[in-house]
Amino acid sequence: MTTQNAQAEQFDMTRPLPIVQPWSEAFWAGAREGKLLLQHCKECSATIFYPRKFCPECWSADIEWRQASGKATVYTFSTAYDMVEPRFWADLPYTIAYVDLAEGPRMMTRIVDCAPEDIKVGMKVEVTFHKLDDKFSLPFFRPAAK
Amino acid sequence: MGANKIAIIGIGEVPTRTMPERSRWDIIYDTCMEAVRDSGLSKNDIGAVISTSPQAQPQLTAELAFGKLPEELGLENCKDTCVVNAGGAGTSNCLRLAEQYIASGVADAVLVHHVTVHSTIPVPDLIAFFAKAGVDLQWEYPFGSTYNIIMGLMANRYMHETGCTPLQMASVVTALRSWASRDPHSIFYGKAVPSPEKVLESSLLNTPLHKRESNILADGGCAMVVVSAERAKKMGKPAAYKLGESVRYFSATPMMRNMEKMVYGLRDTAKEAIAQAGITSSDVDIWNVYLAYPLAHPIMAEALEIAPFGQGGQYFLEGRMSFGGDIPWSTIGDAPGRGHTGSGVSAAVYVETARQLMGKAGERQVPDCAYVYQNTSGGSGFNNIATIWGRDPK
């Protein structure tokens, strides 16, 4: 038995998929098409992320989806080298970040297409989608084109 | 609720170790019986039992939630029992509920306890539990986030804003371990205290967190007997009186947490609890901080206005929070020094608060300890509960 097979037997090595709520399905449908969608409250003009059933600012149900620019700034980051779940071992090292979207909300993501040592707080980044399967693509970010 | 209503009059604890040979119920027996004996009461004086929810131990949680403990210990006059879960803030809520039981007449004396045995949980189950606890399963977990990474994100931002150096950060471990090495209940009792340089020599788990800046999962348990402040005063035994409390909610999902709002919350809860106790910050003899990870301690030191902004790490590097320093701080060494027993670390900090106020902390005893600040926090930091405890009632 190979080491990899032994690991696969002991641990769940399958890639975790987002646990979706009905009101966030449109976000993932957009991500499949390469679009970063944010909710917009038509009642109070709040830009909402993560998606909610009602606007968290005013509780309005009058919410629409708008495509975001995909531009963001790194608020903070941490590059993982060890002690992650076995299902993420193959990705090591990888960098998790909070990025502030140009539209305001903050989201968790991965910074890709960049050496870990080159990632800085305040770095300008842009969205790129990473396909998990036919249903899900995760919004990752990479250094913004100059 | 919150001030001058209850007192801890008895404590019991087993050393935090890796001890798969001890069953959870074995530890429950020992800690609860020791606490009741320490209180000077008898088992049949206990009117209620409240358990801090044991994380990642579903069978035990079910047994406790469905009332097994009073039956197991033969608590003949116990009127009610339940499990309280707010993660690391669970024990604070156990004490609040104990206060309500006492105020409403349900019980005169309440037994609050916690037990965790990590060492017999299968490794894949442990990994799965800690990978998913405290992070959002839709917006964070699929990216590969972990507890360690959440702490790394916070620490990197703090270091960016303040200029705190890796060596200053690493010195927090040195400070916490200096207390833990003198604590017979710590997994690091009697062990060498690593220098900040030694801490930084350990491998990098995720930036800026090194292996020695992380936690060792361990087994442990403790218990407390709580009565009204009035009754404790009449009993005339050494006790820890609850004098003040304040709380703020931040966010469940780490990415939604506004760091500035969190720091203000840490600051304001301390101010409010201290004011409620009728003391000032300079009266506090011990800052018994529970944050689970060393990287958050400089932030807390600044939020509590003990260190100026940006100087929290330097204070630790100068040894001011270490054993023998001028700012007694986390005298069990928080989770990095004690060993991580899930939601049990905060329970252990409460026991230590009581131990210090009772004058029973041995080598770690802070002389003439009259007031202790203690906080707890749940999940990955969804809230902060600040409390002030005193040696005497108000």
Side-chain angles (χ1 to χ4, degrees):
Chain A
M1 184 183 288
T2 65
T3 305
Q4 204 166 19
N5 284 341
Q7 288 165 356
E9 278 192 11
Q10 191 181 8
F11 298 107
D12 182 357
M13 301 297 279
T14 58
R15 194 70 180 210
L17 299 173
I19 307 296
V20 178
Q21 298 295 334
W23 49 88
S24 59
E25 283 177 358
F27 177 92
W28 296 109
R32 276 199 302 276
E33 297 171 6
K35 296 176 183 173
L36 183 64
L37 299 182
L38 299 175
Q39 287 178 314
H40 176 79
C41 175
K42 293 165 77 174
E43 189 77 28
C44 73
S45 296
T47 302
I48 304 163
F49 185 82
Y50 54 90
R52 314 290 171 87
K53 185 175 181 180
F54 296 96
C55 172
E57 300 290 334
C58 69
W59 281 15
S60 169
D62 195 6
I63 292 173
E64 66 178 2
W65 290 93
R66 292 183 179 177
Q67 185 172 353
S69 65
K71 305 292 183 190
T73 304
V74 174
Y75 175 76
T76 188
F77 65 95
S78 180
T79 301
Y81 294 94
D82 197 0
M83 290 291 281
V84 300
E85 260 198 292
R87 62 202 340 177
F88 293 114
W89 282 348
D91 297 356
L92 288 171
Y94 61 85
T95 300
I96 298 285
Y98 294 152
V99 295
D100 289 334
L101 302 177
E103 291 77 10
R106 181 171 296 160
M107 66 184 299
M108 179 177 278
T109 186
R110 277 199 198 182
I111 304 296
V112 295
D113 300 339
C114 182
E117 57 271 22
D118 292 335
I119 300 170
K120 309 288 182 204
V121 170
M123 189 167 88
K124 302 296 181 189
V125 290
E126 62 187 16
V127 73
T128 178
F129 287 91
H130 175 79
K131 185 175 179 179
L132 290 181
D133 63 10
D134 288 343
K135 190 175 178 188
F136 292 103
S137 290
L138 294 178
F140 287 0
F141 283 75
R142 64 187 174 202
K146 301 275 181 177
Chain B
M1 187 181 292
N4 205 27
K5 301 288 188 193
I6 57 168
I8 300 167
I9 61 165
I11 54 176
E13 191 167 27
V14 296
T16 299
R17 300 282 188 272
T18 299
M19 41 189 176
E21 70 282 4
R22 296 201 67 170
S23 75
R24 296 177 175 96
W25 282 97
D26 178 24
I27 293 171
I28 289 172
Y29 266 99
D30 284 3
T31 54
C32 291
M33 291 173 71
E34 184 184 348
V36 172
R37 285 176 178 139
D38 187 52
S39 74
L41 301 179
S42 78
K43 72 179 181 68
N44 293 334
D45 292 321
I46 301 299
V49 179
I50 307 170
S51 305
T52 302
S53 184
Q55 306 296 324
Q57 298 155 97
Q59 181 59 42
L60 178 65
T61 303
E63 289 173 345
L64 292 170
F66 300 159
K68 192 158 192 275
L69 195 151
E71 172 188 297
E72 192 82 28
L73 291 183
L75 306 180
E76 294 172 18
N77 294 317
C78 181
K79 291 179 180 167
D80 207 357
T81 186
C82 70
V83 170
V84 171
N85 190 2
T91 307
S92 295
N93 289 286
C94 291
L95 291 166
R96 288 165 160 171
L97 183 58
E99 192 171 334
Q100 195 277 336
Y101 277 172
I102 291 165
S104 64
V106 169
D108 290 330
V110 180
L111 180 64
V112 173
H113 83 105
H114 172 268
V115 63
T116 282
V117 176
H118 279 131
S119 61
T120 54
I121 300 173
V123 171
D125 292 352
L126 267 183
I127 289 174
F129 176 82
F130 282 105
K132 293 173 185 163
V135 300
D136 190 281
L137 296 183
Q138 185 171 195
W139 307 109
E140 297 183 322
Y141 180 57
F143 292 93
S145 187
T146 65
Y147 254 88
N148 286 346
I149 291 172
I150 297 298
M151 283 296 134
L153 289 164
M154 183 172 72
N156 264 341
R157 181 70 196 189
Y158 169 77
M159 293 168 80
H160 170 77
E161 289 181 359
T162 64
C164 180
T165 66
L167 193 71
Q168 290 171 336
M169 274 293 190
S171 70
V172 177
V173 176
T174 303
L176 297 177
R177 290 278 296 273
S178 74
W179 290 102
S181 70
R182 294 166 170 87
D183 178 4
H185 291 94
S186 165
I187 199 165
F188 289 111
Y189 177 56
K191 303 279 174 63
V193 178
S195 66
E197 291 81 3
K198 184 91 174 169
V199 172
L200 292 180
E201 282 172 13
S202 61
S203 61
L204 196 58
L205 300 182
N206 56 273
T207 54
L209 185 76
H210 296 79
K211 197 168 186 178
R212 286 197 176 95
E213 291 171 306
S214 188
N215 295 307
I216 294 179
L217 291 181
D219 310 331
C222 60
M224 297 171 269
V225 173
V226 179
V227 297
S228 70
E230 186 181 7
R231 186 175 180 193
K233 189 178 176 183
K234 283 181 185 164
M235 290 174 75
K237 285 169 52 62
Y241 293 83
K242 187 178 178 184
L243 303 180
E245 179 178 270
S246 178
V247 61
R248 291 290 188 283
Y249 172 83
F250 304 132
S251 76
T253 305
M255 73 175 179
M256 302 299 289
R257 203 160 301 148
N258 180 318
M259 207 160 151
E260 195 171 274
K261 183 181 168 188
M262 182 190 77
V263 170
Y264 287 153
L266 299 175
R267 180 195 67 187
D268 294 345
T269 50
K271 284 183 183 295
E272 290 165 9
I274 286 169
Q276 195 175 69
I279 63 171
T280 66
S281 178
S282 61
D283 293 321
V284 174
D285 297 297
I286 298 174
W287 299 91
N288 231 354
V289 170
Y290 162 67
L291 292 168
Y293 280 81
L295 301 184
H297 281 254
I299 296 174
M300 186 61 131
E302 294 168 23
L304 293 173
E305 298 180 345
I306 290 168
F309 176 74
Q311 292 298 304
Q314 181 60 24
Y315 270 43
F316 280 96
L317 186 60
E318 290 171 359
R320 300 188 64 176
M321 280 79 158
S322 296
F323 177 82
D326 63 323
I327 306 170
W329 182 278
S330 297
T331 54
I332 65 168
D334 197 6
R338 169 53 75 91
H340 204 303
T341 53
S343 51
V345 181
S346 63
V349 178
Y350 275 113
V351 167
E352 170 69 0
T353 290
R355 187 183 283 123
Q356 288 278 356
L357 290 167
M358 292 172 173
K360 300 194 290 193
E363 189 182 358
R364 289 170 296 104
Q365 181 66 47
V366 172
D368 196 29
C369 181
Y371 297 105
V372 179
Y373 164 93
Q374 172 173 347
N375 79 302
T376 62
S377 177
S380 58
F382 79 82
N383 69 345
N384 187 65
I385 301 177
T387 52
I388 296 294
W389 295 78
R391 184 177 55 194
D392 303 304
K394 276 205 292 190

